Amino acid sequence: MSIEQLAETAQAMVAAGKGIIAIDESTATIAKRFAGVGIENTEENRRAYRELLLTTPRLSDYISGAILYDETIRQSTRDGVPFAKYMADNGIIPGIKVDKGTHPLAGCPGEVVTEGLDGLRDRLKEYYKLGARFAKWRAVINIGEDIPSGTAIEANAHALARYAALCQECGLVPMVEPEVLMDGDHDIQTCYEVTEATLRSLFGALYEQNILLEGTILKASMVVPGKDCEEQASIEEVAESTIMCLKSTVPAILPGVVFLSGGQSDDDATAHLDAMNRIGNLPWPLSFSYGRAMQSAALALWSKDLKGNFAKAQSTVYERAKANGLAALGKWEG
């Protein structure tokens, strides 16, 4: 894929009023989600659930792309159409999660680094052949007593940059996701400082590894207080803090920023995105790449009757996509 094609794909991912649906839960994570609503964790149930999400009628009105898991990109609809082909034919860009998850960072108690660079070039080539046009790698930054350390931030930024370089070499747009976790009792100011340091380190590393920013998407966490913090922030405060942090760290040439929901409620994730876009006058589009905040209502409904509630569950996916698509334009009415 040429430089122009990478840039075109990145721009299409953040087209006005559209965002990304994240359905890249590992088999272990989907097992937990299924257990929570009483669905047996079989390959067929996982396939059927992903089909429910991806074949939602008119999903591409508000969804530009979907992040898949390794198992999912190899699966097909019940009519035998590979998911990646079905998506491409219906105006949705196939993406793929490529990291191997977090592991304890040696010498840094309480901190983690994401692994998966070994063999990544060959995996990316295969995913490109399977139809993927963008990839995702998630780094995790914990906030706690005396953490994060500069070591953890730098190790994760370096891995994200190496992953991004391999993606672009293989013709895939890298989605770089440095998630600052909401776990803890820290206040919004602490989250701001950690997010700012993380993003500075990330863009420094991307620059050093010669990453084409025009062909890169940032998946960011919002600047929010820890979920155990006594003083929770207003919608406006989160929106203003997040925008200020992004403006001070993210180059204007980046095609766009998509947010993770990161454990926020469905409505909070949508309200925060809407408030940011209402502030306006931004150098890049701000959109969404939500997992749970797009799926949880549909999963609960589908679990009650896997065959009977299929279409009903799809209609809730469409409604969530519409709400977030409007929020990406600052036009959600709540």
Side-chain angles (χ1 to χ4, degrees):
M1 197 188 277
S2 67
I3 287 171
E4 289 79 13
Q5 285 171 308
L6 281 169
E8 269 173 37
T9 301
Q11 282 166 351
M13 287 165 67
V14 287
K18 292 189 182 189
I20 311 276
I21 183 169
I23 58 171
D24 57 337
E25 303 90 352
S26 66
T27 308
T29 301
I30 201 89
K32 285 181 207 155
R33 305 269 161 88
F34 277 6
V37 290
I39 296 173
E40 195 186 349
N41 183 29
T42 63
E43 186 183 348
E44 174 49 30
N45 282 345
R46 293 193 297 271
R47 190 209 61 76
Y49 177 54
R50 265 66 187 249
E51 175 166 7
L52 182 157
L53 298 167
L54 292 171
T55 63
T56 292
R58 294 180 37 223
L59 187 63
S60 63
D61 290 359
Y62 303 104
I63 296 293
S64 59
I67 310 168
L68 308 178
Y69 185 58
D70 179 80
E71 175 182 79
T72 316
I73 200 169
R74 302 172 193 281
Q75 290 174 327
S76 302
T77 66
R78 56 192 150 190
D79 299 332
V81 182
F83 282 146
K85 181 179 187 326
Y86 181 91
M87 291 164 68
D89 290 347
N90 286 277
I92 296 173
I93 305 164
I96 181 75
K97 165 193 156 83
V98 298
D99 67 68
K100 297 279 193 184
T102 60
H103 297 265
L105 180 59
C108 297
E111 302 191 272
V112 294
V113 67
T114 301
E115 297 186 355
L117 290 168
D118 287 358
L120 181 57
R121 181 181 269 123
D122 290 337
R123 288 191 289 129
L124 291 170
K125 284 178 185 164
E126 185 191 10
Y127 288 137
Y128 188 91
K129 280 187 191 144
L130 287 168
R133 290 300 175 263
F134 73 96
K136 188 202 85 167
W137 178 289
R138 173 176 175 255
V140 172
I141 304 296
N142 290 306
I143 298 180
E145 200 173 333
D146 299 330
I147 61 171
S149 62
T151 307
I153 289 174
E154 278 176 38
N156 279 292
H158 182 75
L160 276 163
R162 284 188 58 201
Y163 139 83
L166 287 163
C167 282
Q168 291 188 337
E169 176 189 276
C170 294
L172 294 152
V173 171
M175 182 185 276
V176 289
E177 178 184 2
E179 180 178 0
V180 177
L181 289 191
M182 281 173 70
D183 299 343
D185 59 3
H186 53 275
D187 60 13
I188 192 167
Q189 183 58 33
T190 304
C191 180
Y192 184 101
E193 288 161 10
V194 170
T195 305
E196 184 179 41
T198 300
L199 291 173
R200 286 207 176 172
S201 181
L202 171 65
F203 282 100
L206 293 173
Y207 178 77
E208 288 192 353
Q209 304 265 350
N210 300 317
I211 303 307
L212 180 83
L213 290 183
E214 302 95 305
T216 304
I217 295 290
L218 171 65
K219 180 165 178 173
S221 41
M222 298 181 197
V223 176
V224 290
K227 49 186 186 222
D228 299 326
C229 178
E230 285 174 16
E231 204 175 321
Q232 287 299 316
S234 68
I235 299 289
E236 287 66 36
E237 196 182 351
V238 169
E240 284 162 14
S241 300
T242 303
I243 283 180
M244 197 156 66
C245 190
L246 293 175
K247 278 187 169 176
S248 77
T249 53
V250 180
I253 199 167
L254 200 78
V257 178
V258 295
F259 290 103
L260 54 97
S261 47
Q264 298 180 47
S265 73
D266 294 6
D267 278 351
D268 280 355
T270 307
H272 287 142
L273 178 61
D274 182 67
M276 284 184 238
N277 281 301
R278 283 180 193 256
I279 291 170
N281 193 23
L282 303 165
W284 0 248
L286 296 183
S287 190
F288 60 93
S289 173
Y290 293 162
R292 266 175 291 188
M294 281 288 302
Q295 305 174 33
S296 52
L299 181 59
L301 191 59
W302 183 59
S303 70
K304 294 188 175 79
D305 183 352
L306 300 193
K307 287 204 169 68
N309 280 357
F310 195 85
K312 268 191 218 161
Q314 286 187 323
S315 70
T316 70
V317 175
Y318 182 81
E319 288 308 315
R320 291 297 310 143
K322 182 179 180 180
N324 289 309
L326 290 170
L329 299 169
K331 292 180 177 173
W332 181 61
E333 295 302 333

